[in-house]
Amino acid sequence: MIENISTKEQFESKFLNEEKEILVLIETKTGGAFKFGDMWAPSNRPLAFIDLADNSLHSESIRLEWLVEDRDWKYYFKPQTAFRVKVRPQKPGSSSKYKHLFMLVEVLEEGVKDKRFDKILKEYNTEFIYEDEDFYFVLNKEYDWFEGAIKYKDEDIDLNVETEDLEELKNILSAYKAATKKFR
């Protein structure tokens, strides 16, 4: 006989049972969720976190997820603010695309200060622009893409390029120039 696993048990099975405290530096407010069984799983991608067990700073591939019964996300984060939270890390060998995936258990404190977050926020809030004679792009750090305009037949055309890597952007724009050279 097959046991029915509840939605909550299925969600929590992706994570270790151990709970730990971390400081998370939130990038943007929580704006969405995905349907998980008969519940919702809101998520947030922090800019960085500090593991309070060893005081280590991490700033890549981070995601918080939690489960709610309806469209009340329960936790609403203030952008560019640090929080002390209780989480459960993903199980080793997880198929997640995130290096640091956590199940949010509880928000313990808002507005936490750590000087290491200051440098990250300063860099995050510095506008990054790429431009040449045909292109003008600004990196949208929230969505990890460049957005801007290209000139085509004396007209500006709005365009988003889904990369945050400058060299990849240059390669894409170079290919565009080569492909449209005879039409200009």
Side-chain angles (χ1 to χ4, degrees), residues 135-138 145-150 156-161:
F135 305 107
Y136 180 86
F137 284 92
V138 176
W145 67 34
F146 282 91
E147 49 192 37
I150 58 174
D156 283 338
I157 299 172
D158 292 334
L159 179 69
N160 294 339
V161 179

Side-chain angles (χ1 to χ4, degrees), residues 21-28 44 48-50 52 64 75-86 104 106-113 117:
E21 287 186 24
I22 62 174
L23 300 181
V24 290
L25 177 59
I26 298 299
E27 178 180 12
T28 62
N44 194 292
F49 79 92
I50 297 171
L52 294 176
L64 296 174
Y75 300 112
Y76 293 89
F77 292 103
K78 182 178 177 185
Q80 299 187 31
T81 303
F83 294 78
R84 184 171 58 92
V85 296
K86 189 182 296 183
L104 179 61
E106 181 180 2
V107 174
L108 302 170
E109 185 178 357
E110 178 181 349
V112 177
K113 301 292 180 196
F117 288 156

Side-chain angles (χ1 to χ4, degrees), residues 127-142:
E127 190 171 62
F128 186 84
I129 297 171
Y130 173 78
E131 66 180 313
D132 67 16
E133 65 277 357
D134 297 313
F135 305 107
Y136 180 86
F137 284 92
V138 176
L139 178 60
N140 182 323
K141 294 176 184 175
E142 180 179 348

Side-chain angles (χ1 to χ4, degrees), residues 81-100:
T81 303
F83 294 78
R84 184 171 58 92
V85 296
K86 189 182 296 183
V87 296
R88 288 176 44 193
Q90 69 182 330
K91 288 182 176 175
S94 169
S95 62
S96 170
K97 71 178 187 173
Y98 295 95
K99 183 176 179 181
H100 304 285

Side-chain angles (χ1 to χ4, degrees), residues 8-177:
K8 186 174 187 250
E9 290 171 327
Q10 187 179 3
F11 180 80
E12 291 180 356
S13 73
K14 303 184 311 182
F15 303 93
L16 297 172
N17 289 329
E18 121 195 22
E19 292 182 357
K20 63 194 275 180
E21 287 186 24
I22 62 174
L23 300 181
V24 290
L25 177 59
I26 298 299
E27 178 180 12
T28 62
K29 66 181 180 136
T30 303
F34 61 93
K35 192 76 170 157
F36 191 90
D38 58 349
M39 299 180 82
W40 289 93
S43 64
N44 194 292
R45 293 183 325 158
L47 287 168
F49 79 92
I50 297 171
D51 188 327
L52 294 176
D54 63 8
N55 209 29
S56 58
L57 174 68
H58 306 269
S59 60
E60 61 183 55
S61 191
I62 308 161
R63 183 177 170 104
L64 296 174
E65 296 179 352
W66 60 98
L67 208 54
V68 294
E69 291 184 16
D70 55 33
R71 289 186 175 258
D72 176 4
W73 298 157
K74 187 176 180 180
Y75 300 112
Y76 293 89
F77 292 103
K78 182 178 177 185
Q80 299 187 31
T81 303
F83 294 78
R84 184 171 58 92
V85 296
K86 189 182 296 183
V87 296
R88 288 176 44 193
Q90 69 182 330
K91 288 182 176 175
S94 169
S95 62
S96 170
K97 71 178 187 173
Y98 295 95
K99 183 176 179 181
H100 304 285
L101 174 63
F102 298 103
M103 182 183 88
L104 179 61
V105 176
E106 181 180 2
V107 174
L108 302 170
E109 185 178 357
E110 178 181 349
V112 177
K113 301 292 180 196
D114 190 292
K115 290 194 182 293
R116 293 174 284 180
F117 288 156
D118 294 345
K119 181 181 176 187
I120 292 168
L121 281 172
K122 183 177 180 184
E123 183 179 309
Y124 178 78
N125 288 312
T126 300
E127 190 171 62
F128 186 84
I129 297 171
Y130 173 78
E131 66 180 313
D132 67 16
E133 65 277 357
D134 297 313
F135 305 107
Y136 180 86
F137 284 92
V138 176
L139 178 60
N140 182 323
K141 294 176 184 175
E142 180 179 348
Y143 293 107
D144 300 328
W145 67 34
F146 282 91
E147 49 192 37
I150 58 174
K151 285 239 185 259
Y152 183 74
K153 294 185 177 182
D154 297 326
E155 195 175 319
D156 283 338
I157 299 172
D158 292 334
L159 179 69
N160 294 339
V161 179
E162 290 190 34
T163 184
E164 59 183 329
D165 181 89
L166 180 59
E167 288 308 309
E168 186 176 4
L169 175 69
K170 287 179 181 179
N171 290 338
I172 290 167
L173 298 178
S174 178
Y176 166 81
K177 282 183 180 182

